Amino acid sequence: MAISRRAILGGLPAATAGLMLGRPAAAEPSRVVPSTGVRVPVVGLGSWITFNVGDDPVLLDQCAAVIAAFAEEGGGMIDSSPMYGSAQGTIGHGLSRLGDRAPIFSADKVWTSAPREAPEQIARTAQNWGVSEFDLLQVHNLRAWEAHLDRLVAMKSEGRLGHVGVTTSHGRRHAELERIMRDQPLDFVQLTYNALDREAEARLLPLAQERGIGVIVNRPYRRGALIDRFAGAPLPGWAAEIDAQSWAQVLLKFVISHPAVTTAIPATRQVAHLRENKAAARGPLPDAALRRRMAADLARL
Amino acid sequence: MPTWPSYSPRDFLMFGPEVYWRLFELQNRALWPLPVLAGEAGVACLLLVISGRGPALRGAVVLLAVACLGAAYFLAARYAPINWPAGHAAWGLAAQAGLLALVAVAGRPELAGSGRRFASLPGWGLLALATVLYPALGLAAGRPLAQAEIFGLAPDPTAIACLGLASLVAARRHAIALAVIPALWCGASAATLLTLGEAQGWVPLAALALWGSGVAAALLQRR
């Protein structure tokens, strides 16, 4: 039987469902989605590549363990897309093992050039997750965004959807994204932002704050490449100031300390990495001065 | 401004290497003991080609056709769920099976004569690589035997065996028709594996080079 994900969040309207989040993770900061007042833990969970495991029972169990640990650590946003192979089904598999009140903010996407295919795709996505409604649906990579956005806004106004958003990645199509952010009624925008990919700082992040749009950050580690890049180097002295125990925590703290960022969605299939990500959110975060220093130092390394 | 120049091959990868190699383990376990039979069929195919003439060669071509169907099944049932383009590739290998069946039934396949012995060497090498050596490649790379890629069940050795046969047949139209799809597959597989960071991607690439050298040698000998 399909479960209403928003019902899992407490059987409450989306505007208050987020208050259920963060149960055991008292110290993990959460951020308010400006348009709805929902609070979302600042570290979420992505699913690109890591959760695309087909029907491999061993890897499905690994992913389910990550999702269980995520819920145990306070939960938050899990993000996927029809483009991510079997990732949606993997999430559904993991969620089916959780209790009815798992603190998950369900986020997925519409990914098709043919707007008429969207309803069927959304229905299939919900079936894969095992939910009847989503907290957030986004237009993937701005693909056919006008028609999809109209549909998603209509779904939201009918009470069948919590939030509406659009996504980009790898810093692509930022000019078009900026126009959409100015003109359209968005709850969320998803974009790439990390210590070395900082183009969003110039216009998009300030615009999101100005327009009251929540920001989801993808590729906080550039798919692990940033962690690999810094791996051999000792942690800088300022890492101790923010209780960062690893490069992953340094990089994640940099991302989530930007005041415009609502949540970052690093992906992993390792429970230890998931817990490391969640721990990064609980400790102190850098202030604006330290962020500038971090950015300068990391660019030099 | 178009965004496509900003994409790299890595951006199109939807899965990681662990997931990929485990596909073979899942298939080998699910179809057990078929992997043993398929391995024997590969060796039989090699021996039939070595014996060289008439019904034996025709039997080898039929075995290759069945092998292509097995590899197409892997692509459709195992690979496509994590990498949707593999579903299209499955049709390609099914078409290759059809071509082989056509050659076996209506084409009177023959090996190139002794005058092309030098040009045939790559073909024999490719056939031996696909049917005998391929299952050991994973072991050499530190992967378990359960993940072995076996002729007739895995696409890479099957495609390489097809390239081998295409290098050995006498009729130019057969050589061309039987090489197109496996050559495309080898290119795609090499690109995928190398983008995954797997050194084994050099093997289908080397197979392509070997096949190309055979074609070049055959052309030179014809002049």
Side-chain angles (χ1 to χ4, degrees):
Chain A
M1 187 180 79
I3 307 162
S4 163
R5 179 55 42 191
R6 287 159 66 200
I8 286 175
L9 287 169
L12 301 170
T16 52
L19 296 173
M20 301 295 294
L21 300 176
R23 177 175 37 83
E28 180 181 356
S30 57
R31 303 270 164 80
V32 173
V33 183
S35 59
T36 60
V38 170
R39 296 195 75 87
V40 184
V42 75
V43 172
L45 183 60
S47 60
W48 171 237
I49 294 183
T50 52
F51 281 7
N52 183 19
V53 298
D55 59 358
D56 188 320
V58 172
L59 299 182
L60 279 170
D61 278 353
Q62 267 186 33
C63 296
V66 166
I67 291 171
F70 182 68
E72 191 185 305
E73 293 271 348
M77 180 180 292
I78 297 182
D79 177 76
S80 192
S81 167
M83 198 193 106
Y84 296 176
S86 67
Q88 294 176 333
T90 301
I91 293 168
H93 174 77
L95 293 182
S96 71
R97 295 188 177 186
L98 300 182
D100 281 352
R101 299 179 71 80
I104 303 302
F105 185 99
S106 53
D108 213 291
K109 306 186 186 80
V110 181
W111 176 65
T112 169
S113 300
R116 68 179 184 285
E117 293 174 359
E120 191 186 332
Q121 186 178 76
I122 292 169
R124 205 164 44 244
T125 293
Q127 191 178 15
N128 288 338
W129 276 68
V131 303
S132 57
E133 294 173 1
F134 283 95
D135 293 300
L136 167 64
L137 283 175
Q138 307 150 93
V139 182
H140 191 133
N141 279 347
L142 307 184
R143 196 168 181 179
W145 67 267
E146 289 100 331
H148 291 322
L149 205 51
D150 286 348
R151 184 185 305 280
L152 297 184
V153 168
M155 284 176 67
K156 184 186 168 189
S157 69
E158 292 162 9
R160 296 190 289 131
L161 176 63
H163 301 80
V164 168
V166 296
T167 78
T168 66
S169 67
H170 300 71
R172 296 182 185 116
R173 299 173 73 177
H174 277 190
E176 188 175 1
L177 180 62
E178 184 179 337
R179 281 196 300 277
I180 297 169
M181 289 171 70
R182 288 191 188 284
D183 298 340
Q184 302 296 327
L186 299 178
D187 299 305
F188 277 103
V189 62
Q190 184 177 142
L191 46 79
T192 293
Y193 175 57
N194 58 54
L196 296 191
D197 297 311
R198 298 171 52 216
E199 188 188 319
E201 282 179 0
R203 299 174 70 89
L204 297 181
L205 294 179
L207 179 61
Q209 284 180 290
E210 180 192 319
R211 298 271 299 151
I213 299 171
V215 174
I216 303 162
V217 172
N218 58 38
R219 295 172 61 83
Y221 303 135
R222 265 193 203 169
R223 229 184 95 189
L226 291 184
I227 298 173
D228 295 342
R229 173 180 176 137
F230 297 122
L235 287 177
W238 42 252
E241 294 175 36
I242 51 174
D243 283 353
Q245 310 294 319
S246 63
W247 278 110
Q249 291 192 335
V250 164
L251 293 163
L252 194 53
K253 280 172 183 282
F254 178 85
V255 168
I256 61 179
S257 60
H258 193 290
V261 170
T262 308
T263 188
I265 48 170
T268 181
R269 207 161 55 231
Q270 307 292 329
V271 169
H273 291 169
L274 180 281
R275 295 197 191 282
E276 185 183 17
N277 292 340
K278 280 295 197 183
R282 293 202 188 95
L285 296 177
D287 59 16
L290 182 51
R291 281 177 50 79
R292 282 193 293 275
R293 199 172 150 202
M294 289 171 78
D297 288 353
L298 292 171
R300 271 197 300 270
L301 272 174
Chain B
M1 204 172 95
T3 57
W4 59 264
S6 66
Y7 286 87
S8 72
R10 200 168 144 82
D11 295 332
F12 296 96
L13 268 186
M14 300 169 60
F15 54 92
E18 183 188 8
V19 176
Y20 178 74
W21 296 123
R22 280 187 54 80
L23 294 178
F24 299 102
E25 179 171 350
L26 290 171
Q27 165 142 309
N28 289 340
R29 289 191 190 283
L31 299 180
W32 188 262
L34 194 57
V36 176
L37 297 175
E40 290 170 355
V43 176
C45 183
L46 175 65
L47 295 175
L48 286 170
V49 179
I50 289 172
S51 76
R53 299 275 182 271
L57 187 58
R58 192 165 286 176
V61 178
V62 169
L63 266 180
L64 255 182
V66 176
C68 284
L69 286 179
Y73 168 79
F74 171 86
L75 292 176
R78 298 281 169 191
Y79 200 4
I82 64 156
N83 186 31
W84 57 265
H88 301 300
W91 287 110
L93 278 187
Q96 178 75 5
L99 281 173
L100 286 160
L102 202 63
V103 168
V105 172
R108 294 190 179 180
E110 285 179 18
L111 294 184
S114 56
R116 278 177 54 193
R117 190 167 294 158
F118 180 69
S120 297
L121 284 177
W124 293 115
L126 288 167
L127 266 181
L129 168 67
T131 57
V132 179
L133 296 178
Y134 229 91
L137 291 183
L139 281 177
R143 296 190 298 274
L145 184 61
Q147 295 179 5
E149 293 170 86
I150 298 164
F151 167 88
L153 297 175
D156 287 13
T158 308
I160 290 170
C162 290
L163 281 183
L165 182 77
S167 303
L168 294 170
V169 291
R172 189 186 290 187
R173 64 181 188 284
H174 291 165
I176 295 169
L178 295 181
V180 174
I181 291 171
L184 287 173
W185 174 259
C186 284
S189 185
T192 302
L193 290 172
L194 292 173
T195 307
L196 279 170
E198 295 294 299
Q200 194 172 310
W202 292 107
V203 177
L205 210 55
L208 269 180
L210 207 54
W211 167 72
S213 70
V215 171
L219 289 174
L220 284 173
Q221 284 188 359
R222 277 187 180 134
R223 290 174 69 181

